[in-house]
Amino acid sequence: MLKIAVLVSGGGTNLQALIDAQRNGILSSGKIIQVISNNENAYALMRATNSGIPSAVAKTEAEIISVIEGVRPDIIVLAGFMKILTKEFIDRAGVPIINIHPSLIPSFCGKGYYGLKVHEAVLKSGVKVTGATVHYVNEIPDGGEIIAQKSLDVLPNDTPETLQRRVMENCEWVIFPRAVESVCRKIEPKIFPKPQKYAGRGIITGMNPSGGKVLAYFIMGRSVSSKARIFERSGNDLIIKLTRDDKNFDPSLILYSPLRVLGENIIITNGDQTDTIFDAMKTGGTFEGALRTREYEPDAPHYTPRISAIMTPSGHKQSILKRAGKYFYEYDYTPGKGRLIHTYNHDVMAGGVLPSFEGEPREVNIPDDMNRFAESLWRELGEDYRVALYVRYYDGDTYTDKLYNTQEA
Ligand code: GAR
């Protein structure tokens, strides 16, 4: 389910139309998770509260962005939002933004045409037809690609108020929820919150909506030796192999078993701590106990964190050993959700020190379709640095998996 943030300024009847559409199933591919108003007196805020939707007042673009970054929507919907958004905002948001406008664009739109003013201009011009338009938002006010339109006859005795009401009832509230649904259907939920350059190595553990367990492990690399690796299946485990023979190079940090099955448990890590956990648990030890005997990698100046996870029948755990300390996280399985942890927070210029992953493992959406999930993840890793990806969906002993390697064996 995609996350929708709605920006409002006024009465919020279009917001209400979306809420109603969610109730009656017309809007089913996305869920309104946040309402943001630039006007603290907007009745739209009350509508959000009445429907149990979190709401916030944010007046400047910077304030709106900080709410957006906190909730990370997949789409932003403007429902009677009376402020023109800047290019900086649109770029920073990084997700599709769509707007409803109460006229047939390209007529009666752009700067100065909002709310009742649109209908006043329509009546003044003498046109006999008006309507509403849903469109993508770009840096040109009301200038983005059109998604849907619906027209309506102007009646001889219309006032701006009656025309506004009729356009809303007959056009806006009809096409807006349908357009939001159609856009949501086209959006792939993002695994990474922002396009990312270099996450290093990463693990996802969790469950698909149907209750199957899901894991993924990826490696990215910047150096030639780090890129010269492939994943290979070895029984039910996963191993890494080098694709070139380099006598001068110590492969101990890049050759390991990223995934080992131990009875009903699966251990996934970015180093030889897979074996530390495996050996400890085989003799009655624990995931945490095993990892407490280890620390981050000795690869100065980065001191790459060691990330690890275990999937057990009843829950999944993740851990990161970094210079700041040793961290452990434990989760119940939640259908459709997983957790993502990776080694580096973001990329740095060549020669810089790579910053370790910060914060808690991030929640990610997991679909039922393994191929779709694997493809999105592979795509989001980007062509520059991705090296290999392994995804497994399983239920008891049976599993399906998918493996990608950038290099040939
Ligand atoms: C609606 O008619 C909407 O199309 C329009 O303002 C009204 C808000 O009503 N939007 C614009 O003019 C945007 N430029 P609402 O708050 O009841 O949805």
Side-chain angles (χ1 to χ4, degrees):
M1 182 83 76
L2 293 175
K3 297 196 281 183
I4 306 173
V6 183
L7 269 54
V8 295
S9 301
T13 61
N14 277 295
L15 167 66
Q16 192 65 50
L18 296 177
I19 295 171
D20 295 346
Q22 231 170 240
R23 293 216 178 97
N24 63 29
I26 288 177
L27 176 54
S28 60
S29 303
K31 185 170 177 229
I32 306 169
I33 49 106
Q34 180 75 50
V35 169
I36 304 170
S37 174
N38 63 337
N39 166 12
E40 71 257 43
N41 299 317
Y43 185 67
L45 289 167
M46 188 63 86
R47 294 183 191 269
T49 307
N50 290 344
S51 296
I53 301 167
S55 64
V57 175
K59 297 199 173 170
T60 63
E61 285 198 349
E63 284 170 12
I64 299 171
I65 279 290
S66 94
V67 180
I68 294 285
E69 289 185 345
V71 295
R72 295 193 294 113
D74 300 291
I75 174 172
I76 297 172
V77 172
L78 312 185
F81 185 65
M82 301 302 179
K83 216 172 141 114
I84 292 171
L85 294 171
T86 63
K87 182 170 184 335
E88 290 67 45
F89 180 94
I90 296 165
D91 290 347
R92 181 87 186 260
V95 295
I97 305 178
I98 72 175
N99 180 43
I100 174 95
H101 182 78
S103 78
L104 293 173
I105 291 176
S107 294
F108 309 106
C109 62
K111 203 163 180 277
Y113 288 95
Y114 57 88
L116 216 49
K117 289 189 196 305
V118 176
H119 306 288
E120 285 163 3
V122 165
L123 291 175
K124 204 167 159 206
S125 77
V127 293
K128 298 296 176 229
V129 179
T130 185
T133 305
V134 184
H135 64 94
Y136 285 104
V137 172
N138 63 13
E139 61 273 20
I140 305 159
D142 299 324
E145 187 193 325
I146 291 173
I147 301 163
Q149 287 188 306
K150 192 163 188 287
S151 64
L152 174 92
D153 288 345
V154 178
L155 298 179
N157 46 7
D158 259 327
T159 63
E161 289 74 15
T162 61
L163 188 57
Q164 178 180 53
R165 186 72 199 175
R166 291 195 310 108
V167 167
M168 282 179 159
E169 282 178 3
N170 296 288
C171 307
E172 299 188 39
W173 305 342
V174 178
I175 60 171
F176 197 35
R178 293 178 202 275
V180 173
E181 171 67 14
S182 79
V183 171
C184 284
R185 283 198 189 168
K186 282 190 227 146
I187 300 173
E188 276 294 326
K190 292 268 184 299
I191 293 162
F192 289 92
K194 287 185 198 163
Q196 56 79 50
K197 266 257 169 305
Y198 194 53
R201 269 63 64 192
I203 301 170
I204 295 174
T205 53
M207 182 173 262
N208 66 17
S210 311
K213 299 194 176 76
V214 173
L215 63 87
Y217 181 63
F218 66 79
I219 59 178
M220 304 175 81
R222 299 196 306 176
S223 67
V224 177
S225 49
S226 176
K227 282 185 166 172
R229 293 185 285 173
I230 52 165
F231 283 169
E232 219 176 78
R233 294 179 183 89
S234 165
N236 291 326
D237 296 351
L238 189 70
I239 55 170
I240 297 181
K241 280 197 171 161
L242 294 180
T243 56
R244 56 182 211 133
D245 209 9
D246 187 343
K247 302 266 177 309
N248 302 315
F249 151 78
D250 169 15
S252 66
L253 287 178
I254 60 171
L255 279 189
Y256 52 91
S257 301
L259 183 158
R260 287 185 76 183
V261 178
L262 175 63
E264 293 184 297
N265 305 310
I266 301 183
I267 302 158
I268 312 118
T269 90
N270 71 330
D272 63 4
Q273 71 270 27
T274 305
D275 301 329
T276 313
I277 300 165
F278 186 96
D279 294 342
M281 290 186 61
K282 228 176 141 178
T283 52
T286 63
F287 176 75
E288 292 82 358
L291 285 169
R292 285 200 181 97
T293 69
R294 303 296 307 268
E295 59 175 14
Y296 49 85
E297 294 180 359
D299 61 331
H302 307 301
Y303 298 107
T304 300
R306 282 188 195 271
I307 54 172
S308 312
I310 186 157
M311 305 268 296
T312 75
S314 59
H316 54 127
K317 296 179 181 178
Q318 296 194 348
S319 158
I320 182 164
L321 310 179
K322 54 185 181 179
R323 283 217 285 182
K326 300 185 179 185
Y327 300 86
F328 297 90
Y329 306 92
E330 185 168 1
Y331 302 103
D332 292 331
Y333 290 112
T334 307
K337 298 286 174 202
R339 292 282 171 166
L340 162 69
I341 193 161
H342 46 88
T343 56
Y344 307 128
N345 228 28
H346 50 80
D347 196 19
V348 285
M349 305 285 278
V353 177
L354 286 160
S356 295
F357 178 88
E358 272 170 27
E360 256 191 69
R362 246 189 263 108
E363 191 177 83
V364 296
N365 293 322
I366 300 182
D368 274 329
D369 181 340
M370 182 188 69
N371 287 323
R372 198 178 119 202
F373 179 61
E375 305 242 309
S376 318
L377 184 48
W378 189 238
R379 189 176 344 105
E380 284 188 47
L381 292 176
E383 286 178 6
D384 293 348
Y385 301 124
R386 66 189 180 196
V387 174
L389 166 67
Y390 181 78
V391 176
R392 180 182 296 190
Y393 275 41
Y394 69 102
D395 210 337
D397 285 341
T398 54
Y399 65 84
T400 48
D401 62 0
K402 191 147 176 138
L403 192 158
Y404 297 80
N405 285 312
T406 298
Q407 301 228 340
E408 310 240 318

